[in-house]
Amino acid sequence: MHTIISGIESISQNTENVLRKVSTYQFKTIETKQQLIEALHSCDIFWFRLNHKLTKEILENSKCKFIVCAVTGLDHIDLESCKENNITVISLKGEFEFLKEVRATAEHTIGLLLTLIRKTKNAYSHVENGNWDRTQFQGTELYKKKVGIIGLGRLGKIVAEYYNVMGMHVFYYDINKQEKYENKYTAVNSIEALFKEIDVLSIHLPYNTSTHFILNEKNLNTLKKNALVVNTSRGGVIDEQALLNLLNTDKIAGYATDVLYGEPDIINHPLVKYAKKNNNVVITPHIGGNTFESIEKTELFVIQKLKKIVEQCQK
């Protein structure tokens, strides 16, 4: 078997050792749709992260039999087309026990929020330009603020712990009512009820057809005027135009995000244009899980998963 790896510059020695037991491999730079189609027609295993969108057209009649993607959200892969073309997708989706030890995105969530609330985005360049006017950057504290977590899944629970340690009052809304956290956190019965309570909205939803623009003009308008929103989920869970309207009319205080709808094609994105001129929007390029530790752990995990599946298929 042969593996093409795209958008990943190197892999750890432990990961390489496992992969070599399954397949030969090569790192390949893929910049066009045609190159992507050709790659999928010339390998058995295609390994990437978020740097491509695998559509029905690209996947059709592919020789590739395994797609390896060390992420939890798979909205960039047409899973139905993978089934139709007998392609097995190997990812981190549903690997809840393993993912408890992967905390990079949760940490980045806190970092984004602190950047927003303490106005550090422009403070850095202010000093680098030779200035020292601290009065421009008076912020507020997170201590005793009310934070609302929408989506108390694996990541939401980790972030809730961090917020709790920082002395914040944690509220949450989640469609799954099996688990309750009454002793630590306050459950709320609807998105609108959550929004009316909180100072900070922290978004941790999976992205799918049921969550597409689930945060919309109607419910976003119930947020307090001083509310801050932080999103390390997916851009598609929030109606970004409705959000932009609130920012432009001073109906919410700010937005910090690691994700945008339509990424990575963001050069004309209205939120990016707004962020260039305003201090109350902070955007990073989907780097939440991009730490040395998390990448090594997740890549080794998916390759071990691949090895196990390939060995089962060969029996």
Side-chain angles (χ1 to χ4, degrees):
M1 298 183 81
H2 182 63
T3 299
I4 288 178
I5 304 173
S6 172
I8 299 169
E9 292 186 1
S10 63
I11 55 178
S12 71
Q13 188 62 57
N14 288 337
T15 302
E16 182 182 5
N17 291 342
V18 176
L19 181 58
R20 284 188 182 279
K21 293 176 182 178
V22 175
S23 169
T24 58
Y25 70 92
Q26 68 177 119
F27 295 94
K28 194 161 188 173
T29 300
I30 299 172
E31 296 178 339
T32 67
K33 183 168 79 171
Q34 187 56 41
Q35 288 174 342
L36 183 56
I37 292 170
E38 289 171 3
L40 288 164
H41 278 78
S42 60
C43 68
D44 305 287
I45 302 162
F46 186 69
W47 183 6
F48 79 118
R49 276 183 175 260
L50 296 165
N51 49 312
H52 301 298
K53 194 168 182 67
L54 301 187
T55 62
K56 180 181 178 69
E57 179 188 359
I58 288 167
L59 292 165
E60 199 166 23
N61 300 318
S62 170
K63 178 198 170 190
C64 176
K65 293 304 172 191
F66 298 94
I67 290 172
V68 179
C69 199
V71 298
T72 54
L74 299 175
D75 52 291
H76 59 308
I77 302 173
D78 188 329
L79 299 177
E80 193 58 42
S81 292
C82 286
K83 285 181 185 177
E84 291 171 3
N85 289 280
N86 297 312
I87 300 171
T88 300
V89 178
I90 297 167
S91 72
L92 300 174
K93 191 175 179 66
E95 301 290 353
F96 302 115
E97 282 305 309
F98 166 73
L99 287 167
K100 288 178 182 177
E101 297 299 311
V102 181
R103 300 202 162 209
T105 302
E107 292 177 5
H108 190 56
T109 302
I110 304 300
L112 279 171
L113 180 56
L114 287 170
T115 297
L116 188 61
I117 203 167
R118 294 306 304 270
K119 303 180 180 178
T120 50
K121 172 185 165 182
N122 284 1
Y124 297 137
S125 56
H126 176 81
V127 174
E128 288 165 4
N129 289 328
N131 301 303
W132 197 266
D133 182 6
R134 63 198 296 266
T135 60
Q136 292 185 35
F137 305 105
Q138 186 173 5
T140 55
E141 297 179 8
L142 292 176
Y143 182 60
K144 290 195 174 180
K145 295 290 190 300
K146 294 179 180 179
V147 58
I149 296 175
I150 183 162
L152 201 72
R154 187 269 312 181
L155 187 58
K157 290 172 186 173
I158 296 171
V159 171
E161 292 174 18
Y162 294 166
Y163 288 137
N164 189 54
V165 167
M166 296 176 80
M168 301 185 77
H169 302 297
V170 179
F171 295 73
Y172 72 93
Y173 171 76
D174 194 290
I175 58 171
N176 297 313
K177 303 296 195 300
Q178 294 92 341
E179 288 188 88
K180 292 287 184 181
Y181 294 82
E182 284 92 345
N183 294 333
K184 271 177 115 173
Y185 316 134
T186 303
V188 180
N189 291 325
S190 70
I191 292 174
E192 290 79 7
L194 180 72
F195 286 6
K196 289 175 183 177
E197 286 284 347
I198 59 175
D199 306 298
V200 175
L201 171 63
S202 196
I203 305 169
H204 305 286
L205 294 168
Y207 180 60
N208 50 48
T209 53
S210 66
T211 59
H212 177 73
F213 286 9
I214 192 171
L215 306 179
N216 52 46
E217 182 179 6
K218 183 179 178 182
N219 54 43
L220 287 170
N221 267 291
T222 63
L223 286 166
K224 296 177 183 178
K225 189 174 181 179
N226 65 341
L228 300 172
V229 180
V230 59
N231 183 10
T232 51
S233 167
R234 286 293 189 271
V237 302
I238 190 165
D239 183 339
E240 292 172 333
Q241 187 56 55
L243 180 80
L244 190 58
N245 292 341
L246 293 178
L247 290 163
N248 276 319
T249 54
D250 295 323
K251 290 184 178 177
I252 62 170
Y255 183 54
T257 186
D258 188 44
V259 289
L260 291 173
Y261 189 49
E263 64 178 75
D265 183 17
I266 54 85
I267 192 164
N268 293 313
H269 197 289
L271 274 173
V272 175
K273 291 180 179 179
Y274 180 94
K276 287 179 181 178
K277 299 177 181 179
N278 296 274
N279 193 32
N280 64 336
V281 169
V282 177
I283 306 171
T284 53
H286 210 143
I287 60 172
N290 192 24
T291 64
F292 293 106
E293 296 87 350
S294 68
I295 286 175
E296 183 168 348
K297 282 188 280 191
T298 55
E299 288 184 350
L300 180 58
F301 184 87
V302 292
I303 290 305
Q304 288 172 331
K305 194 173 173 181
L306 169 72
K307 180 175 178 288
K308 190 178 294 185
I309 292 171
V310 169
E311 288 173 347
Q312 288 172 348
C313 291
Q314 291 173 344
K315 287 182 181 178

